[in-house]
Amino acid sequence: MKKFYDYIYLFFLTLCKLLFIVTVVVTAYLVFGRFILHSQPVWGEEIVLMSITYMALISAALAIRDDSHMKMTIIEFMIPKKWVNVLKIIALIVICIFALFMVVEGIKFAYIMRLSKMTGLQIKTTWLYLAVPVSGVAIILMVSEKFLEALGLIAKTKSKAEIDEENNRLSGKQAARERL
Amino acid sequence: MSPEAIAAILLIGSFLIMITLRFPIAFAIGISSLITILYIGLPVMQIVQNMVGGINKFTLMAVPFFILAGEIMGAGGISNRLIHLSNALVGWIRGGLAMVNIMASMFFGGISGSSAADTASIGSILIPMMKKQGYDPEFATNVTMASSVQGILIPPSHNMVIFAMVAGSVSIGKLFLAGMIPGIVLGVALMIYSFYVSVKKQYPKGDSFSWKNVFKAFLDSFLGLFTVIIVVVGVIGGVFTATESAAIAVVYSFIITFFVYREIPLSEFWNILGRSIKTLSIVLILISTSAAFGWILTFLKVPEIVANFILAVTQSKIMILILLNIMMLILGMIMDMASIILIATPILLPVAMHVGIDPVHFGVVMILNLGIGLITPPVGSTLFIGSAISGVKIERLSKTMLPFYAVMLGVLFLITYFPAVVMTIPNWIMP
């Protein structure tokens, strides 16, 4: 089961990386076109914006697995750890409801937008708004992993804070070793 | 009570409850928007439309590009070069390594624009070195963390791009220029304090000053520092837009790192992309849901209500600035920077503008306030990184940090009440 989630995560991460590369390459080409070729492709800006929209929304699911979304953790100092875990589960349920909303309303809105076209790419605006339900599905998948972890059915994934702390300690030690 | 007032209370109240209960802020914003829109009876699809509209902006592209350029340069060995350059420039002064730390952050800020990245890369090299030379671990860590705040003031700063985007009609070029002097003033103030401590504690000096060393270190790091020149000159000179200059910075830093410096293999680029996406996965969704939140705030006329309330209490510019600073410092202590910029700017900026504060001036004051928040407990991301690198406990760091807070508050006072410190350069270059 853990492997399944690893593949899902890897798939979305790779997709985001590829979209990011497209964004950088096309924007750089737009600059090149503007200053050197003195003409810019009409599809350029639209493809950049579409890529970043997909990347932005899908990557939100990645941060759920890493537990790296910004949050106010002040309450952790005030209540027992057991209650913190309860709050984590409640938060996951609410996120899941919001993700469901993204799927349902995202599809509805994307369907409405079939009537308009993106002028540069000559495709329906539906494709742009489909980023919302796709992201909703990705979030639900990542949240389901967290649920299974909380129920003890699969091994816990290290949070970003835990990974960062480990890396920082390692890099500090490595730097110190290099100095010696 | 009018339905609009109840809706406003519902929006802000549900949001505050959720973030207090440790919900991810991006989702708390989205859910409170959803609850409110259901209460008002507007179509819920407005949220979907605003979420996409919030990120579907070409200006916003500068944010991911600056973050990627910073990651590439950071991974490619620029930190060591900047430390060598700083060492050649200020290492000879008493407390040399503390000075080097501050100056390297000044340079590094121009490349990464992130306090956390600065602390992680400069700190992991300099904190162990400082400890080895006899500096107190607390002092070494505090210098690293305090100086890293320069990074978010000195251009290019992606947080300033976010502010400009939320504030609307604020020039990114002007904001970049406005952050320069406060960033340098903060560095100089920290250097003066560090010199005082170093003399008192007899911390060592580095090698004596030599123009030859400065020239050599400058040549070695020039190609990396040129990224800042591309961005700043390009944006301010009106040659490029912020997004275009950021894209050029990415391509340029890619070429310099992988084909000139060649300290890391090309395959490492894939990992750099992954690290950038991890940062962006937190920031972009926040921008997306905040767009829906901001739309409802405006629909319910919340900024107008808050402005009227504050202005009914006082009309004095000085008092309002004190009030805004206190509010932003408190918010900075409990929430992360990008979230506050996105949520508080539409509410607080109209108040500031009503009493004649320039939005650019307000933006810089806000960024420094929130920058201080990054190194204060209980929620200071930079503080956590500093503690993890040095191994000094957060409680101990927070206590020993007090004089640094005082220095930073002094600089905040200066830039708040003497707008000329912030506005002279932007008004001069971009009137």
Side-chain angles (χ1 to χ4, degrees):
Chain A
M1 200 64 178
K2 192 82 191 158
K3 267 250 149 65
F4 166 75
Y5 284 110
D6 286 344
Y7 285 129
I8 297 270
Y9 180 84
L10 193 65
F11 169 74
F12 285 127
L13 180 62
T14 310
L15 181 65
C16 288
K17 284 180 182 180
L18 294 173
L19 288 167
F20 203 4
I21 291 174
V22 169
T23 311
V24 174
V25 171
V26 176
T27 311
Y29 180 68
L30 284 174
V31 179
F32 181 76
R34 189 177 144 197
F35 289 96
I36 312 290
L37 308 174
H38 300 292
S39 82
Q40 282 180 310
V42 281
W43 46 264
E45 199 165 307
E46 279 179 1
I47 211 156
V48 166
L49 291 175
M50 194 149 146
S51 305
I52 200 74
T53 306
Y54 272 87
M55 191 192 96
L57 295 174
I58 292 172
S59 65
L62 303 176
I64 287 181
R65 190 184 219 214
D66 304 331
D67 194 21
S68 56
H69 275 297
M70 283 182 202
K71 56 180 93 66
M72 235 171 73
T73 48
I74 193 164
I75 199 159
E76 286 181 16
F77 304 102
M78 299 170 179
I79 58 170
K81 202 168 178 242
K82 192 177 82 182
W83 285 105
V84 175
N85 289 334
V86 172
L87 287 178
K88 280 184 187 175
I89 292 172
I90 296 172
L92 285 175
I93 294 168
V94 178
I95 291 171
C96 203
I97 293 169
F98 189 71
L100 267 175
F101 157 80
M102 286 170 75
V103 175
V104 176
E105 294 300 323
I107 289 174
K108 279 189 198 167
F109 194 72
Y111 183 71
I112 291 172
M113 294 314 285
R114 77 192 186 285
L115 302 170
S116 83
K117 233 178 189 181
M118 297 169 83
T119 44
L121 285 170
Q122 285 296 310
I123 56 168
K124 286 175 184 169
T125 314
T126 300
W127 292 104
L128 173 68
Y129 286 94
L130 273 179
V132 179
V134 170
S135 162
V137 171
I139 292 171
I140 291 169
L141 280 169
M142 289 299 133
V143 168
S144 69
E145 185 192 17
K146 289 281 163 197
F147 275 130
L148 293 178
E149 277 179 19
L151 294 172
L153 296 175
I154 53 172
K156 195 176 172 287
T157 313
K158 274 185 185 173
S159 73
K160 188 177 180 288
E162 285 164 344
I163 296 167
D164 282 351
E165 193 174 328
E166 214 167 82
N167 287 345
N168 286 332
R169 280 191 198 286
L170 285 174
S171 61
K173 276 179 192 161
Q174 194 187 336
R177 263 200 303 274
E178 277 169 13
R179 301 272 98 66
L180 289 165
Chain B
M1 206 183 273
S2 69
E4 284 81 12
I6 297 173
I9 293 168
L10 191 63
L11 178 72
I12 295 167
S14 59
F15 167 67
L16 291 177
I17 290 171
M18 278 187 276
I19 60 165
T20 310
L21 294 179
R22 205 193 166 278
F23 280 40
I25 296 171
F27 289 98
I29 291 171
I31 295 157
S32 54
S33 306
L34 179 61
I35 294 170
T36 312
I37 224 162
L38 283 169
Y39 173 77
I40 308 171
L42 288 173
V44 282
M45 276 182 219
Q46 282 286 354
I47 293 180
V48 175
Q49 191 180 7
N50 278 297
M51 276 178 74
V52 172
I55 37 176
N56 201 32
K57 288 177 184 154
F58 204 62
T59 328
L60 175 71
M61 299 303 306
V63 176
F65 292 163
F66 281 142
I67 289 174
L68 179 59
E71 280 284 353
I72 296 173
M73 294 305 282
I78 191 71
S79 315
N80 275 321
R81 287 179 170 82
L82 294 179
I83 288 170
H84 285 148
L85 175 63
S86 309
N87 193 30
L89 285 167
V90 291
W92 52 276
I93 304 171
R94 171 75 56 200
L97 277 184
M99 305 295 162
V100 170
N101 198 326
I102 297 164
M103 181 140 278
S105 290
M106 209 180 277
F107 290 137
F108 195 82
I111 287 162
S112 87
S114 154
S115 155
D118 181 306
T119 303
S121 31
I122 305 274
S124 60
I125 300 170
L126 280 179
I127 294 174
M129 274 172 89
M130 288 176 82
K131 283 199 283 201
K132 206 178 150 201
Q133 285 203 9
Y135 289 79
D136 290 338
E138 291 86 356
F139 177 75
T141 317
N142 290 338
V143 168
T144 310
M145 294 189 303
S147 61
S148 72
V149 176
Q150 294 172 97
I152 49 175
L153 287 167
I154 291 174
S157 156
H158 65 265
N159 284 302
M160 283 193 176
V161 179
I162 297 176
F163 173 81
M165 204 185 70
V166 185
S169 70
V170 174
S171 151
I172 295 177
K174 261 193 160 183
L175 266 171
F176 279 179
L177 283 173
M180 269 182 184
I181 297 293
I184 294 169
V185 168
L186 178 61
V188 171
L190 289 171
M191 277 185 176
I192 293 169
Y193 173 69
S194 300
F195 179 73
Y196 164 76
V197 175
S198 302
V199 170
K200 215 170 126 191
K201 297 208 170 182
Q202 281 302 299
Y203 287 144
K205 293 177 184 179
D207 298 336
S208 53
F209 181 82
S210 129
W211 280 109
K212 196 180 145 196
N213 285 347
V214 172
F215 187 67
K216 213 174 133 197
F218 179 73
L219 277 185
D220 198 31
S221 54
F222 175 74
L223 288 173
L225 285 172
F226 196 69
T227 322
V228 192
I229 298 169
I230 293 174
V231 174
V232 177
V233 175
V235 175
I236 291 158
V239 185
F240 311 123
T241 63
T243 302
E244 287 173 344
S245 69
I248 295 171
V250 171
V251 175
Y252 176 81
S253 53
F254 181 86
I255 294 168
I256 294 300
T257 301
F258 294 105
F259 300 105
V260 180
Y261 287 165
R262 288 190 292 184
E263 282 187 18
I264 49 171
L266 194 57
S267 56
E268 186 58 25
F269 180 64
W270 195 243
N271 296 329
I272 292 173
L273 269 177
R275 284 201 295 275
S276 306
I277 283 169
K278 283 192 178 178
T279 309
L280 290 167
S281 66
I282 308 163
V283 178
L284 294 178
I285 187 70
L286 203 59
I287 295 174
S288 172
T289 50
S290 296
F293 191 84
W295 183 82
I296 302 172
L297 276 180
T298 316
F299 180 82
L300 297 171
K301 298 193 177 96
V302 174
E304 217 177 296
I305 297 166
V306 174
N308 288 340
F309 176 75
I310 294 179
L311 294 168
V313 177
T314 176
Q315 294 264 353
S316 151
K317 193 174 170 177
I318 293 175
M319 283 307 291
I320 284 178
L321 278 169
I322 291 176
L323 213 67
L324 293 176
N325 272 328
I326 293 172
M327 280 164 77
M328 289 189 284
L329 278 172
I330 294 172
L331 283 173
M333 286 168 79
I334 54 174
M335 269 168 81
D336 244 310
M337 194 167 208
S339 341
I340 305 172
I341 296 175
L342 289 160
I343 298 161
T345 304
I347 301 173
L348 301 181
L349 183 62
V351 181
M353 284 172 74
H354 193 273
V355 288
I357 298 163
D358 192 292
V360 172
H361 179 212
F362 176 78
V364 175
V365 170
M366 181 182 222
I367 299 277
L368 180 56
N369 264 301
L370 306 185
I372 296 172
L374 292 174
I375 51 171
T376 49
V379 186
S381 50
T382 302
L383 186 65
F384 295 142
I385 294 172
S387 166
I389 293 173
S390 63
V392 181
K393 285 194 169 166
I394 287 175
E395 300 79 31
R396 180 89 194 117
L397 283 180
S398 310
K399 260 186 218 163
T400 50
M401 190 77 187
L402 288 174
F404 286 93
Y405 293 141
V407 172
M408 297 176 91
L409 288 176
V411 176
L412 177 64
F413 177 84
L414 185 76
I415 69 159
T416 305
Y417 293 104
F418 298 92
V421 178
V422 179
M423 298 304 296
T424 304
I425 290 195
N427 285 343
W428 176 50
I429 298 179
M430 296 175 83

